[in-house]
Amino acid sequence: MLFNFKILLNNATLRTGHNIMVRNFQHGQPLRKDVQLKGRDLLTLKNFTGEEIKYMLWLSADLKFRIKQKGEYLPLLQGKSLGMIFEKRSTRTRLSTETGFALLGGHPSFLTTQDIHLGVNESLTDTARVLSSMTDAVLARVFKHSDLDILAKEASIPIVNGLSDMYHPIQILADYLTLQEHYGSLKGLTLSWIGDGNNILHSIMMSAAKFGMHLQVATPKGYEPDPSITKLAEQYATENGTKLSLMNDPLEAAKGANVLITDTWISMGQEEEKKMRLQAFQGYQITMKTAKVAASDWTFLHCLPRKAEEVDDEVFYSPRSLVFPEAENRKWTIMAVMVSLLTDYSPELQKPKF
C-alpha cells in the first residue's frame, strides 16, 4: 500500500490549525509560522493565498541576503535530492534549480526525454511512485499541465511546476521579487502585459490582485488569455479592490503603467504558427513610444529568451530594464520554494513590505 504523505501532512496541519510552532534547526530557536507550505505542491499560484506567496518572496529575500550579501553557507537541503524532469529545453529554469538546490546542500538530478519520457515508456502513475521512493521533490517542465496534475495526484512528495502550457508560477515569483526590490512595495503598482495570452500572463492573473496590483492586458484578437482564468482573475480583482482590464490596444494597456511586461510570441511547440503569429502581433513591440505613455517610473520585464520583434534594444538594454536582475532572481526564488516545501526553516531577515 502506497501512503500519500502529502495528504497526511495536510490533515495534520488542519488538526493543529494555521498557527504552527516549528523549531528552526539551523539556529535552534523555536519560531512561529503563520504559513505552512511544507509538503505541498506548487502547480499554480491559484492554489496559494497572498500571504503564502508573500512568505515565499520573504524567504527568497532572506536567502539572497544571507548567502549572497553575508556569504553564509546554509546547507538547508543537505541529504535531500530533487528529480528534474525537462520535456522542454531551458536556460534559467535548469541553471537556477540545479545550482540553487546544490548551493543549499542538496543533490539535483536532471532528466530529459532521453532519460524519462512521461507517459510513453512508463505511465505517469508509475513514474510518480518511483520518483517518490527515490527523491524528496520533483520539478517538472512539461508541455501539458494535465501531466503535472497526474504527477501531483500520484506522488507522495511535492511536485513543482517548472513550466506548463497553462502556468509558469516560479517565473512570476522572480518577477515579484525583482519589483519588490526595485519599488520597495508591490501594492498599488499597475502592471501592463503586452503580448500573447500565455502561461506567464495566466500566472500573473492568478496572483497580482492578491498583492493589490492592477493589471492592464493587451493581446491581439484570438490570442486572449484562457476564459476560465480570466473569470477567476476578475473575481480576485473584485475581492481585492484592484482593476483588471483586457483590450487589444498595446498603447492603451501601457497608459499609466509602472511595469511593462512581454514575453515570446512563439512558445516552444508553436513553431509551425510562426508566420501567422508574427503577422498577428504586428504593432505589439514594446518601444520608447510605448514607454512614453507609461508612468514616469516605468520599468520593463521579460522572462527571456527575448526576440527583437517583442521589444527593441533601446528599451531592453535601458536602465529601466530589470530583465537581468529578474533572471538572477529565478535562482533565489526557486531556492525559497524548495526550502518552503521541504524544511521548517524560517527567515531571519525582517519581512519586506509588500
Side-chain angles (χ1 to χ4, degrees):
M1 179 179 180
L2 182 75
F3 290 100
N4 192 322
F5 292 104
K6 288 185 293 186
I7 294 176
L8 293 176
L9 178 61
N10 289 339
N11 287 340
T13 301
L14 289 174
R15 285 196 298 271
T16 56
H18 294 294
N19 295 325
I20 299 173
M21 294 295 292
V22 299
R23 181 165 294 276
N24 185 333
F25 292 103
Q26 182 68 19
H27 306 285
Q29 296 296 322
L31 297 175
R32 187 180 185 86
K33 288 181 67 174
D34 296 322
V35 172
Q36 179 57 265
L37 301 177
K38 188 177 180 182
R40 291 175 60 178
D41 302 312
L42 174 53
L43 305 186
T44 166
L45 296 177
K46 175 176 66 175
N47 298 336
F48 291 79
T49 66
E51 288 305 309
E52 289 170 337
I53 303 172
K54 289 174 185 177
Y55 182 83
M56 286 187 277
L57 296 181
W58 178 17
L59 183 48
S60 304
D62 174 83
L63 294 175
K64 186 175 184 179
F65 175 74
R66 294 190 64 187
I67 296 172
K68 183 179 181 179
Q69 301 300 325
K70 296 178 67 178
E72 293 186 50
Y73 175 52
L74 299 177
L76 300 172
L77 299 179
Q78 188 170 9
K80 297 189 182 299
S81 58
L82 174 71
M84 298 172 58
I85 301 173
F86 277 57
E87 291 187 330
K88 294 185 175 186
R89 64 185 182 273
S90 166
T91 300
R92 281 147 295 278
T93 301
R94 179 178 179 179
L95 272 176
S96 62
T97 306
E98 279 193 333
T99 61
F101 204 84
L103 183 58
L104 293 168
H107 178 78
S109 182
F110 182 71
L111 303 166
T112 70
T113 52
Q114 302 302 312
D115 307 297
I116 181 171
H117 204 170
L118 288 176
V120 177
N121 297 326
E122 187 172 40
S123 71
L124 286 167
T125 295
D126 292 356
T127 297
R129 296 185 179 190
V130 169
L131 290 172
S132 295
S133 70
M134 297 184 182
T135 66
D136 296 282
V138 168
L139 180 139
R141 185 176 174 91
V142 300
F143 284 97
K144 297 186 297 181
H145 190 82
S146 57
D147 286 349
L148 290 173
D149 290 329
I150 295 173
L151 285 174
K153 179 183 177 183
E154 299 296 338
S156 58
I157 56 175
I159 304 296
V160 177
N161 180 359
L163 176 142
S164 71
D165 57 350
M166 287 296 288
Y167 300 108
H168 196 359
I170 58 176
Q171 174 63 54
I172 303 312
L173 294 176
D175 291 359
Y176 290 171
L177 179 62
T178 305
L179 294 177
Q180 196 283 329
E181 290 174 337
H182 181 82
Y183 289 103
S185 177
L186 299 179
K187 187 174 183 180
L189 291 179
T190 296
L191 311 180
S192 171
W193 175 271
I194 298 173
D196 191 17
N198 63 12
N199 51 4
I200 301 286
L201 175 59
H202 289 165
S203 290
I204 295 174
M205 293 174 74
M206 293 296 92
S207 56
K210 297 173 183 178
F211 287 85
M213 290 189 285
H214 311 290
L215 180 58
Q216 300 170 174
V217 176
T219 59
K221 291 181 180 178
Y223 295 90
E224 294 86 358
D226 183 276
S228 64
I229 290 176
T230 298
K231 184 177 180 180
L232 186 54
E234 290 172 342
Q235 178 184 324
Y236 289 156
T238 300
E239 291 173 353
N240 292 280
T242 61
K243 296 178 182 178
L244 172 65
S245 306
L246 277 68
M247 60 200 79
N248 304 116
D249 184 343
L251 288 181
E252 186 66 26
K255 278 186 181 178
N258 305 104
V259 189
L260 303 175
I261 316 172
T262 193
D263 184 23
T264 181
W265 296 345
I266 305 157
S267 296
M268 284 177 276
Q270 298 176 335
E271 289 81 5
E272 293 181 2
E273 304 174 26
K274 181 176 181 178
K275 185 176 180 181
M276 179 177 65
R277 281 178 167 267
L278 288 176
Q279 184 175 355
F281 283 85
Q282 287 297 310
Y284 276 75
Q285 184 190 47
I286 294 181
T287 66
M288 284 299 179
K289 180 181 177 182
T290 317
K292 282 182 179 178
V293 301
S296 60
D297 64 349
W298 68 272
T299 54
F300 173 75
L301 293 179
H302 191 303
C303 68
L304 306 179
R306 160 256 187 179
K307 301 293 189 298
E309 62 264 20
E310 300 151 6
V311 53
D312 69 5
D313 284 356
E314 190 176 7
V315 171
F316 186 79
Y317 291 110
S318 76
R320 302 295 191 97
S321 175
L322 303 178
V323 295
F324 296 112
E326 175 188 13
E328 180 195 341
N329 281 335
R330 287 293 307 276
K331 180 172 182 171
W332 304 109
T333 48
I334 194 61
M335 289 167 67
V337 167
M338 295 302 171
V339 170
S340 296
L341 303 185
L342 296 175
T343 79
D344 291 322
Y345 174 81
S346 293
E348 279 197 342
L349 186 72
Q350 182 177 352
K351 187 175 182 180
K353 182 180 179 182
F354 293 108

